[in-house]
Amino acid sequence: MSLHFNFGGFEGMIENALEQVSKILDNTRRPEIAGSVHHRYDDKYSLAEFMTNTSLASQLNCLSRLGVDAEQLSTLCAWSSTHSVSLVFTAKEFTSFNREVKREVEQPRKHVTEIGSSFSITSKVVDTVTEYFWDFEAQWELVAIKGVGASDANRLVIAKSTGSCELKTSTKHSPRAEARVPAAQQNVDITWLLQQLGGSDGVITSPSFKIDRDSASCATPRRNDDVTKAIEHFVRMRNWSKAIVEYFRDQLFKVPQGPQKNWGALYDTDSIFVPVLPLLEAEAAAAGGTLEEAKGEEDVADLGASNVSTTPEGGVLVTLSSGATDAAAAKTLCLPSADANAFLAEERRSLRVKCDDLSQTFPSDASIITAANAVVIVTLGHIERVGFALVDCLDYVEALLRKQLIAAIGKEVMPQDFAEYMVYHNRKLFASQYRPRPFCYDIRRTSNHSPEGTLSVNQDLVGTAQPEPIATIVSHADYSHPMTFPINAAANVTFNGDRYLHAYLAHTFSGSSASQLTLSAQARQFSSMLVMVGTISSATSFEPKYACVVQNKDELNIPLELSTIPTPKEFKDAIESLSPEQQRFAKAFRAMQLASTLFGVLVIQIKPALEKVLNLPEDALTKEIRLTQDLMDLFITYQIPTDLLSFDEATVAATGGDAQARINGVKSHVAAMHEMIGAAKAKEVAEAEEKYKFENPEMALRSETLSMNLMEARGGGLERGGFPADASWGSEKVKKKMVNARTRGFGGGGGGGRGGPPPPAPGGVMFKGAPPPPAPAAAPLLSSVASARRAPAPKPTQLQQQPLQQELAKPTAATPETQQPAQQATHQQVGDEAAAAHGSGVRDYTAIPALIDARMEQFDEDSCLRPTIITPSNTWIKKTKKGLLADFTNEVMRGDEQKTEKDKAMDLLDALTKSGAIPVENASLHIMMAATHTFDKTVVETVVRDNVSPIEKVERSTLILAQTVHDLAPAALIEPSQLERATAAPLASSSDSHHHQSWESRAVLGNGRKRTSIWNHGSMTKRRWRRPWVYLYPGDWAWCGVLFSR
């Protein structure tokens, strides 16, 4: 059925047919089209059965018109009980040479010759024409075949005809092939048709089509195995009839070269009544007429079954029974069988009148175009029309369901509407602590700190201006066990912090795709964080593939691509016929695909890590905005070791070791590092200039002359910040001053921009000893920050004033000799902790995909839930602001840019962790897995055609994911008010073997205590035993909590 059924055209056609119906039935009857009558759902089933039985009777009456008599029908029904029965139409054509005829043909032109004034001679032209005559003969027959028709006993001739004509050509070339055997051959299986008549032991009953409403395959009055078989039969008969008609019309009837025929009478069949109509009657009355009256004026003879009779010509007349059909119709608004018989009688009458008209239009001789052949064409054409009518009427019933459903809701439900409903549905389904939550998290140290930024996964919704966070089933653990990730081939970083396990369920319908997801990381002003994207490679390791530093209102948007893999049942069916070696290969590859479904995002807060590595107290850098930026620049751009910038614990006695003293110590190290970098830059510039002057002496001389003229024009002097007027350009003193000026321009000193003081005033080049120019007035918004930056740093102590060379030469807190054993000890400790965690029942995230796959195979009856792989797109967008008052600019990041950002992030991590020696504490790991529930139809068509509520299907898939994420039985996840309804589903009422085998686990903790799993049956209780306390949730022997005992 088309998604857009033509109600207007179909209902208009039925309205025209109702005018004829009003003439057939009594004046008291008022049947109407089904859509205009208030009815029940069961009435649609009765209507489908009524129309199908009427179509069967119509088709049998048409076959009788083609030549099937009562005895043949009885034989065919007996054959159908054990074998297939087919109707085969075969045509043959033969052409042979008859004679050659020569004749003279006088041409119309004449030639006149005048002789004198009184005489003329007229001559005419006569041509001799040779004509060739051919005998053309066409034969066709209609045969019923049992099985393959191996013997004559299995073949029954229904009708046959032979016609001939004479063809004439001007050349001795045959106008058609000498023999075309077969010229046409069409066959159709009518076994299903005969089986609807009973027909055992030669006893024929009326059509008895019925829909098995209790069958598992029965979805709607239109979508069930019985109606599907009926439609398949009528479509076969329709195509068979059409092919035969096209042979007569386009091939056979174009052979004769006689006078023009009245083809309009042959192909105009609108006058023949089609008895298949989707009619209901609000107050059904008994049909006004007996069975004999419904048969019309025909003389019929009973065959022993009250609804199958013979006509005087030996044909079969089939009507519907008035027993079970009327009993069923009495309970519905469907018309009684007597009305159907009246429609069938009108059909036979109109068909008989049409055939009588054809007998007067076409000859009844042995030619090709005869009345008998015309009757065959009209009858077959009517069979085709009845087949179309039945399919259209059944589609109308389904379209009526669709129309009524949309009218009940008020709109056609689209995938976006369904997604919004599922958010609402899940809020009611799950208990409050297990409900899906938006994937949007603040990145902060504690609840007392302002967020550094946010991390979210958004989806683009149709009809909304802004993307919204997706809802995921999430399990949160404040601290699980240490995990590591590599920053290079030689160093691994250990991190702790929050762990989030997310499960995202997407659903797609026909003609739509899953929503576009985007991973978004946004930093606040003067805040920073490090975002890493990768996969979970083992129970204790994270494998980063991408990394980026997000700071100062940056917004990093990474589109996520979702790709599905086959469902467990599809995979199992696909490898069933493979060899063991091929199966092992496929299983290994699928295991890799399942492992790829774990998508990880690790967020590391930078300020806490900076404070730890620089030996600063907590929150020391919260208000040190400039210092934080300078430190990150030194670590990322220049890869400065942290030991050169951290506070030296050996100076605690001299400085007091308080927070401010530690910050001042770090500031002095940063200033010294900037001075050294500025000097190195100035040296490089001077060397480049000397090289340029050496390679281009003429250009260098012009540049020096121009510079001297410029300084003389300015009248520069020492008191104005310029060079002495009497100084020669080439003197060492001037060169030294120029180098100092360039050095200031590259940031030595600790003021102004990042890495240097503000640029000198236009009056000249500033000397080292000259006073700095006055700073511009700060904006009111930044007055506090500007004053803090302009405040002079405290005078460094003697220990802080030691030369930079000595600082570099001094052994650091973690020299290569001491760092390697410490790092090995740390790695060993992490390994021991991971092993202890694994032994103590700590969750192995890498085992979750296989567990979900197993549960999909067990509970996904429809095989529609597909594991989904999440991968970052190749193109990212990073929105940045160059300044506080600047607008956002979009930077497109592809392969090279992404690699650069990852290198910067890894360099920063290398500095913050001292190449993995210091673990990261303020981190949060988000592990996300996805599955997609796919529907092969639209939302409304899923409900209408399959008679399936997609809500229940998606609910089951959601419970599969929630059961795995929370590691609880489904009954423990559901809101108590929804438990009775939800337990009707196989999943919610199941007892997963995993929840009976893995609950009891024991492990020795670090303090020697043992952890024992507890079962509880009953209402929710709260128990305390030593510490910590846990909740025990209601469930039938479901694991609900963990208690600790010595």
Side-chain angles (χ1 to χ4, degrees):
M1 183 196 76
S2 173
L3 296 181
H4 303 284
F5 186 82
N6 185 8
F7 272 97
F10 182 81
E11 291 177 348
M13 181 183 66
I14 298 302
E15 290 297 329
N16 295 333
L18 282 174
E19 296 181 3
Q20 187 70 10
V21 170
S22 63
K23 300 176 183 178
I24 298 173
L25 302 180
D26 295 340
N27 293 334
T28 58
R29 305 294 303 282
R30 293 292 183 271
E32 297 180 78
I33 189 169
S36 301
V37 179
H38 292 286
H39 59 276
R40 298 175 301 172
Y41 185 62
D42 287 343
D43 293 332
K44 292 183 171 66
Y45 278 100
S46 300
L47 181 60
E49 294 170 348
F50 175 83
M51 294 186 298
T52 305
N53 282 317
T54 303
S55 300
L56 289 172
S58 171
Q59 196 168 92
L60 288 168
N61 290 332
C62 289
L63 290 179
S64 174
R65 175 66 64 176
L66 292 177
V68 177
D69 57 28
E71 182 180 357
Q72 291 174 336
L73 182 60
S74 178
T75 301
L76 296 179
C77 289
W79 283 358
S80 66
S81 61
T82 57
H83 292 79
S84 64
V85 180
S86 303
L87 289 179
V88 179
F89 173 85
T90 305
K92 302 177 183 179
E93 297 177 1
F94 302 95
T95 305
S96 60
F97 180 73
N98 186 314
R99 66 187 183 277
E100 178 182 337
V101 176
K102 293 183 179 181
R103 58 187 179 87
E104 293 182 349
V105 178
E106 181 178 336
Q107 298 297 328
R109 63 181 185 276
K110 296 181 179 180
H111 180 68
V112 178
T113 303
E114 294 183 357
I115 303 175
S117 59
S118 340
F119 298 96
S120 64
I121 300 176
T122 303
S123 61
K124 58 182 179 180
V125 179
V126 178
D127 295 334
T128 301
V129 178
T130 303
E131 296 177 334
Y132 303 91
F133 292 87
W134 309 81
D135 293 330
F136 175 78
E137 182 181 77
Q139 305 173 3
W140 65 263
E141 64 176 358
L142 181 62
V143 181
I145 295 178
K146 174 184 176 181
V148 296
S151 61
D152 293 340
N154 296 332
R155 299 171 61 88
L156 191 63
V157 178
I158 304 299
K160 60 181 180 179
S161 175
T162 301
S164 61
C165 65
E166 190 175 65
L167 305 179
K168 180 175 62 175
T169 62
S170 59
T171 61
K172 197 174 183 179
H173 294 286
S174 177
R176 299 180 68 87
E178 183 177 350
R180 293 181 63 202
V181 180
Q185 188 170 38
Q186 300 293 334
N187 62 81
V188 61
D189 191 334
I190 60 170
T191 307
W192 182 86
L193 169 66
L194 299 173
Q195 290 175 347
Q196 305 307 309
L197 300 177
S200 58
D201 299 330
V203 178
I204 306 173
T205 61
S206 63
S208 56
F209 173 81
K210 200 167 185 63
I211 299 174
D212 185 4
R213 306 181 193 184
D214 297 329
S215 173
S217 62
C218 180
T220 66
R222 170 65 176 83
R223 304 293 168 174
N224 54 79
D225 288 345
D226 300 303
V227 169
T228 299
K229 292 178 181 178
I231 291 179
E232 289 174 352
H233 165 75
F234 280 95
V235 170
R236 288 195 302 267
M237 288 294 295
R238 189 177 70 192
N239 296 336
W240 177 75
S241 302
K242 180 181 179 181
I244 298 175
V245 170
E246 288 177 348
Y247 166 72
F248 277 103
R249 182 190 62 199
D250 299 336
Q251 297 187 43
L252 189 59
F253 282 11
K254 290 186 177 181
V255 173
Q257 301 168 345
Q260 185 68 27
K261 305 295 182 182
N262 184 10
W263 302 115
L266 182 62
Y267 302 121
D268 183 12
T269 58
D270 292 340
S271 60
I272 305 176
F273 182 72
V274 178
V276 185
L277 300 170
L279 303 180
L280 296 176
E281 194 167 14
E283 297 179 0
T290 63
L291 179 61
E292 286 72 21
E293 292 174 335
K295 292 177 182 178
E297 301 176 355
E298 297 169 326
D299 251 347
V300 296
D302 195 1
L303 290 181
S306 60
N307 303 106
V308 180
S309 309
T310 59
T311 62
E313 296 83 5
V316 180
L317 189 151
V318 180
T319 58
L320 301 185
S321 64
S322 57
T325 303
D326 287 348
K331 301 178 182 179
T332 66
L333 302 180
C334 192
L335 301 182
S337 60
D339 291 350
N341 293 333
F343 296 159
L344 291 170
E346 173 59 21
E347 177 193 37
R348 292 192 299 272
R349 186 200 66 79
S350 58
L351 181 59
R352 184 174 62 253
V353 170
K354 182 65 177 179
C355 293
D356 292 342
D357 293 342
L358 293 176
S359 63
Q360 299 177 14
T361 304
F362 295 94
S364 300
D365 52 16
S367 61
I368 298 296
I369 307 176
T370 61
N373 288 344
V375 169
V376 171
I377 293 176
V378 169
T379 304
L380 291 174
H382 185 64
I383 290 176
E384 182 181 355
R385 288 184 63 201
V386 171
F388 274 113
L390 176 63
V391 175
D392 288 344
C393 289
L394 292 174
D395 285 346
Y396 168 76
V397 173
E398 184 173 88
L400 190 59
L401 283 172
R402 187 176 189 272
K403 182 179 180 181
Q404 292 170 339
L405 179 64
I406 295 176
I409 299 175
K411 59 180 293 188
E412 182 174 357
V413 180
M414 305 303 291
Q416 177 55 38
D417 302 322
F418 181 77
E420 293 177 358
Y421 172 81
M422 288 310 302
V423 174
Y424 161 79
H425 180 79
N426 289 333
R427 285 200 301 264
K428 298 193 305 178
L429 174 66
F430 288 96
S432 58
Q433 63 271 34
Y434 301 122
R435 288 172 187 163
R437 290 174 170 78
F439 194 119
C440 185
Y441 294 87
D442 288 333
I443 308 302
R444 65 170 84 206
R445 297 194 193 185
T446 65
S447 58
N448 297 326
H449 289 77
S450 296
E452 296 286 316
T454 59
L455 178 72
S456 62
V457 176
N458 303 322
Q459 59 181 341
D460 295 330
L461 302 178
V462 179
T464 57
Q466 297 294 334
E468 297 182 1
I470 63 173
T472 61
I473 303 166
V474 57
S475 174
H476 172 228
D478 292 333
Y479 177 80
S480 179
H481 60 281
M483 295 184 68
T484 63
F485 64 87
I487 56 176
N488 52 53
N492 292 328
V493 174
T494 303
F495 66 94
N496 299 306
D498 293 341
R499 307 287 163 79
Y500 298 87
L501 176 61
H502 302 268
Y504 170 66
L505 178 63
H507 29 76
T508 61
F509 293 88
S510 175
S512 65
S513 58
S515 301
Q516 175 63 53
L517 304 186
T518 302
L519 175 65
S520 179
Q522 302 179 14
R524 296 196 174 187
Q525 188 66 53
F526 306 127
S527 300
S528 57
M529 58 185 178
L530 195 148
V531 180
M532 308 179 73
V533 178
T535 58
I536 309 301
S537 55
S538 70
T540 59
S541 61
F542 170 71
E543 189 70 30
K545 295 184 178 179
Y546 307 95
C548 184
V549 176
V550 183
Q551 58 181 334
N552 297 333
K553 300 201 74 172
D554 288 350
E555 180 179 345
L556 178 64
N557 293 315
I558 304 177
L560 302 178
E561 298 177 352
L562 304 182
S563 57
T564 60
I565 62 177
T567 65
K569 291 182 180 179
E570 290 175 345
F571 175 76
K572 187 176 181 180
D573 294 341
I575 68 171
E576 186 175 2
S577 59
L578 298 180
S579 67
E581 293 78 10
Q582 294 167 343
Q583 289 186 7
R584 288 196 297 271
F585 174 80
K587 290 178 180 179
F589 203 85
R590 182 173 178 83
M592 183 271 295
Q593 290 177 321
L594 291 175
S596 302
T597 59
L598 287 180
F599 175 76
V601 181
L602 178 62
V603 181
I604 298 176
Q605 300 180 41
I606 295 177
K607 285 183 181 178
L610 279 173
E611 294 166 353
K612 187 173 183 179
V613 75
L614 297 175
N615 298 325
L616 298 177
E618 291 188 3
D619 290 339
L621 294 177
T622 300
K623 296 180 177 60
E624 296 293 335
I625 301 171
R626 171 63 185 279
L627 179 59
T628 303
Q629 297 295 322
D630 288 345
L631 288 170
M632 292 180 60
D633 183 62
L634 291 175
F635 293 149
I636 295 175
T637 306
Y638 302 105
Q639 292 85 44
I640 303 299
T642 55
D643 294 334
L644 301 182
L645 304 175
S646 62
F647 176 75
D648 192 353
E649 295 291 347
T651 64
V652 171
T655 61
D658 59 346
Q660 189 59 45
R662 291 173 179 267
I663 292 176
N664 291 338
V666 173
K667 284 183 176 179
S668 64
H669 295 326
V670 171
M673 189 59 63
H674 278 161
E675 184 175 359
M676 185 197 73
I677 293 174
K681 288 182 176 180
K683 182 179 179 181
E684 292 180 4
V685 171
E687 291 176 352
E689 287 186 352
E690 292 296 334
K691 182 179 179 181
Y692 178 79
K693 291 178 181 180
F694 179 77
E695 295 177 351
N696 304 277
E698 295 180 358
M699 296 299 295
L701 181 59
R702 292 179 184 177
S703 178
E704 291 176 358
T705 304
L706 180 62
S707 299
M708 291 297 296
N709 294 337
L710 180 60
M711 286 191 293
E712 290 176 359
R714 289 178 177 177
L718 184 59
E719 67 281 358
R720 298 181 58 186
F723 289 99
D726 58 346
S728 62
W729 180 257
S731 65
E732 293 297 330
K733 185 176 181 180
V734 175
K735 289 184 178 180
K736 184 176 181 180
K737 293 176 181 177
M738 288 295 296
V739 170
N740 290 336
R742 296 190 187 100
T743 302
R744 296 297 181 187
F746 280 94
R754 182 180 299 181
V765 182
M766 185 169 58
F767 284 99
K768 183 175 182 180
L781 179 64
L782 303 176
S783 59
S784 59
V785 178
S787 61
R789 290 185 177 180
R790 291 195 301 269
K795 185 177 180 180
T797 62
Q798 183 176 0
L799 291 174
Q800 295 170 345
Q801 290 179 348
Q802 49 188 324
L804 185 61
Q805 291 79 1
Q806 299 179 11
E807 185 73 17
L808 293 172
K810 184 178 66 176
T812 59
T815 59
E817 292 77 6
T818 60
Q819 181 177 352
Q820 185 173 1
Q823 184 172 349
Q824 292 176 355
T826 302
H827 292 170
Q828 181 65 33
Q829 180 182 0
V830 171
D832 294 341
E833 292 177 357
H838 180 73
S840 62
V842 168
R843 200 160 197 187
D844 182 5
Y845 295 114
T846 58
I848 292 178
L851 179 59
I852 289 184
D853 198 55
R855 284 175 176 160
M856 287 181 182
E857 183 178 3
Q858 180 180 1
F859 297 115
D860 185 19
E861 301 172 353
D862 305 320
S863 189
C864 294
L865 187 59
R866 300 176 181 273
T868 303
I869 300 174
I870 306 176
T871 54
S873 174
N874 295 329
T875 303
W876 304 355
I877 296 178
K878 187 177 182 181
K879 298 173 63 177
T880 58
K881 291 186 67 173
K882 302 300 183 182
L884 290 175
L885 302 180
D887 294 331
F888 279 102
T889 58
N890 291 336
E891 177 186 358
V892 179
M893 299 174 59
R894 294 185 175 88
D896 294 339
E897 293 84 357
Q898 294 170 11
K899 183 179 184 304
T900 301
E901 289 294 331
K902 181 179 180 182
D903 293 341
K904 291 181 180 180
M906 291 304 180
D907 290 340
L908 179 60
L909 272 174
D910 185 73
L912 295 178
T913 63
K914 291 189 176 181
S915 297
I918 301 177
V920 176
E921 299 296 338
N922 294 83
S924 56
L925 175 63
H926 295 264
I927 303 171
M928 183 176 172
M929 55 186 179
T932 304
H933 194 115
T934 57
F935 295 92
D936 58 355
K937 301 179 181 66
T938 64
V939 181
V940 174
E941 295 307 315
T942 300
V943 180
V944 172
R945 292 193 182 189
D946 298 339
N947 196 29
V948 167
S949 172
I951 298 172
E952 298 173 359
K953 300 297 183 181
V954 175
E955 177 187 278
R956 181 186 62 193
S957 299
T958 306
L959 286 174
I960 291 176
L961 297 181
Q963 176 186 12
T964 308
V965 168
H966 295 293
D967 207 13
L968 292 174
L973 305 173
I974 300 174
E975 188 72 26
S977 60
Q978 299 287 325
L979 192 59
E980 182 178 356
R981 179 195 62 81
T983 50
L987 175 64
S989 60
S990 67
S991 57
D992 190 355
S993 60
H994 173 75
H995 291 278
H996 288 278
Q997 297 175 0
S998 63
W999 296 142
E1000 185 174 10
S1001 60
R1002 300 174 182 270
V1004 179
L1005 301 180
N1007 56 6
R1009 293 181 297 174
K1010 292 185 178 180
R1011 187 174 77 174
T1012 306
S1013 301
I1014 302 299
W1015 284 264
N1016 180 61
H1017 185 275
S1019 61
M1020 181 183 295
T1021 60
K1022 178 179 178 182
R1023 297 183 181 180
R1024 290 181 182 271
W1025 190 347
R1026 301 295 180 182
R1027 279 189 312 173
W1029 58 265
V1030 296
Y1031 280 105
L1032 298 180
Y1033 298 100
D1036 295 332
W1037 298 102
W1039 178 81
C1040 301
V1042 177
L1043 297 182
F1044 290 89
S1045 61
R1046 293 190 182 276

